[in-house]
């Protein structure tokens, strides 16, 4: 009665691809973080879909933990972004590349 | 005959729910990537989050849909908006020339290749072994919240406690990162230190104006122009 799980997986793959392209293309650090959140959401959708397809609760447990880790990651990342912008306003990802290999 | 009609109707409604959720998610994702203003990007991210929450409900993950809306749309995106408003980066994105030529086509190519790989993985049917993970079955007696809570507080109790430690560490890290390095005594000197920091790294115009009329030794030299009579009193505080 419901939509087959492969459709959800294809949608999640498209969301992940869009997020990856945005992470590579955009140079505003905040928008790059939003693209990371987009990719995390795509993975969450994949977990929930597999949880339904395999009749296993483990996928939803994984999504629960991913939500917690994403919240912690955003807190630390935004702290880093605030300290970067405090030193030099209007910085993009190109301006803080002094640690590149 | 009527049963068949009811079945068709239910199937059509399921596809309609999927289509609405997928359209919201994809439109929001496109908005995040394409919008110039970071505030619009954050609002597009909210659209994506609501679409994915709809798909969660459609797949029986009721609790996760609620948590998705509360945590993502209610906390994380609001945190993004706070930072955007606090830093004032919502004016427009700088359009400095790219340092690497042809970066955007390469990035799009990488994204398309990754998407193709994921779609091929979807087509391959044998990656799931079918063995249970010990977390319990999804379908069964009881509500979704009840089963999820039982699973987390029994089978995944140690990871749950570790996430609490992770959250505490994140809070401490945020406080340490954002705290100002040298807590100056309150009053005049503290403001001078803040203004002086803004000038040295080509800060915004008001900060530069304040320090210019106070006179920093690095910019004004040794008292060549007007305002140099103050540089003796506040100049040492700045650097």
């Amino acid at each position: 009665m419901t939509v087959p799980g492969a459709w959800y997986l294809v949608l999640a793959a498209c969301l992940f691809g869009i997020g990856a392209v945005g992470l590579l293309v955009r140079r505003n650090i905040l928008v790059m973080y939003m693209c990371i959140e987009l990719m995390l959401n795509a993975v969450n959708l994949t977990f929930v879909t597999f949880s339904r397809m395999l009749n296993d609760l483990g996928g939803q447990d994984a999504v629960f933990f991913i939500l917690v880790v994403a919240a912690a990651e955003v807190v630390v990342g935004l702290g880093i972004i605030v300290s970067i912008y405090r030193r030099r306003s209007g910085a993009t990802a190109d301006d803080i590349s002094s640690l590149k290999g | 005959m009527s049963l068949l009609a009811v079945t068709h109707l239910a199937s059509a409604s399921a596809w309609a729910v999927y289509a609405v959720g997928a359209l919201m998610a994809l439109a929001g994702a496109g908005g995040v990537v394409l919008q110039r203003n970071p505030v619009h990007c954050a609002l597009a991210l909210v659209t994506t989050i609501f679409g994915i929450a709809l798909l969660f409900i459609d797949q029986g993950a009721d609790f996760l849909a609620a948590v998705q809306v509360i945590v993502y749309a209610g906390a994380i995106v609001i945190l993004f908006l706070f930072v955007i408003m606090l830093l004032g980066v919502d004016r427009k994105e700088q359009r400095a020339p790219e340092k690497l030529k042809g970066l955007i086509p390469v990035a799009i190519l990488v994204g398309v290749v990754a998407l193709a790989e994921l779609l091929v993985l979807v087509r391959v049917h044998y990656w799931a072994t079918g063995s249970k993970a010990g977390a319990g079955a999804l379908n069964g007696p009881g509500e979704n919240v009840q089963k999820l809570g039982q699973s987390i507080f029994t089978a995944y109790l140690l990871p749950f406690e570790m996430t609490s430690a992770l959250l505490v560490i994140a809070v401490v890290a945020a406080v340490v990162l954002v705290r100002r390095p040298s807590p100056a005594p309150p009053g005049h000197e503290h403001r001078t230190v803040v203004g002086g920091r803004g000038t040295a790294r080509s800060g915004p115009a008001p900060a530069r104006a304040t320090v210019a009329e106070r006179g920093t030794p690095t910019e004004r030299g040794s008292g060549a122009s007007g305002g140099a009579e103050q540089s003796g009193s506040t100049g040492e505080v700045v650097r």
Side-chain angles (χ1 to χ4, degrees):
Chain A
M1 201 73 76
T2 52
V3 179
W7 286 82
Y8 291 93
L9 295 181
V10 169
L11 173 68
C14 291
L15 283 176
F16 192 91
I18 291 173
V21 169
L23 181 66
L24 291 173
V25 165
R26 296 303 295 265
R27 286 182 300 157
N28 191 335
I29 313 172
L30 283 163
V31 182
M32 289 170 75
Y33 249 84
M34 290 179 205
C35 291
I36 293 177
E37 297 303 315
L38 206 61
M39 295 161 74
L40 280 173
N41 269 298
V43 173
N44 282 348
L45 183 59
T46 308
F47 267 118
V48 169
T49 306
F50 277 132
S51 170
R52 192 196 72 175
M53 287 170 73
L54 300 177
N55 191 16
D56 194 333
L57 204 56
Q60 296 198 7
D61 286 333
V63 173
F64 180 81
F65 290 119
I66 286 174
L67 279 169
V68 178
V69 173
E73 170 232 349
V74 162
V75 167
V76 176
L78 287 182
I80 294 174
I81 289 174
V82 166
S83 59
I84 286 173
Y85 271 98
R86 190 179 285 161
R87 289 179 191 278
R88 42 172 77 190
S89 78
T92 62
D94 290 338
D95 301 331
I96 46 176
S97 61
S98 55
L99 269 183
K100 71 181 178 186
Chain B
M1 190 62 188
S2 72
L3 185 65
L4 193 64
V6 165
T7 311
H8 273 298
L9 190 62
S11 173
S13 69
W15 278 99
V17 168
Y18 172 78
V20 169
L23 271 180
M24 283 174 70
L26 285 177
V32 170
V33 175
L34 296 178
Q35 292 284 335
R36 285 264 167 255
N37 195 333
V39 176
H40 296 167
C41 292
L43 294 179
L45 187 62
V46 170
T47 309
T48 300
I49 286 162
F50 272 94
I52 289 179
L54 183 61
L55 296 178
F56 278 4
I57 293 176
D58 195 25
Q59 292 186 301
D62 303 334
F63 175 71
L64 288 179
V67 169
Q68 171 97 356
V69 170
I70 291 170
V71 171
Y72 264 110
I76 291 182
V77 176
I78 296 299
L79 202 59
F80 271 114
L81 286 176
F82 261 120
V83 172
I84 290 171
M85 301 294 180
L86 190 68
L87 298 177
V89 289
D90 55 335
R91 285 180 288 264
K92 64 183 173 64
E93 186 168 326
Q94 282 82 9
R95 298 295 295 160
E98 292 275 349
K99 291 182 179 168
L100 292 174
K101 299 297 177 194
L103 187 62
I104 290 180
V106 172
I108 292 174
L109 182 67
V110 168
V112 168
V113 168
L115 178 61
E117 284 180 2
L118 288 174
L119 292 181
V120 167
L121 278 181
V122 169
R123 285 295 299 168
V124 175
H125 293 281
Y126 300 109
W127 25 259
T129 61
S131 63
K132 298 301 177 189
L138 181 65
N139 301 320
E143 292 294 318
N144 176 247
V145 186
Q146 178 191 350
K147 284 182 289 190
L148 197 59
Q150 272 183 352
S151 169
I152 284 173
F153 285 114
T154 55
Y156 292 95
L157 185 60
L158 183 62
F160 180 74
E161 297 291 338
M162 285 167 66
T163 54
S164 67
L166 178 71
L167 285 176
V168 171
I169 292 170
V171 169
V172 172
V175 170
V176 169
L177 278 172
V178 185
R179 191 185 56 175
R180 296 203 178 266
S182 63
H188 179 70
E189 293 179 349
H190 182 66
R191 286 202 335 225
T192 313
V193 168
V194 171
R197 169 162 312 198
T199 4
R201 315 284 169 95
S202 76
R208 179 179 308 210
T210 10
V211 177
E213 63 192 24
R214 280 184 192 138
T216 353
T218 56
E219 280 197 358
R220 289 299 176 107
S222 57
S225 56
E229 61 271 10
Q230 290 183 350
S231 70
S233 58
T234 58
E236 284 81 13
V237 183
V238 170
R239 297 306 284 171

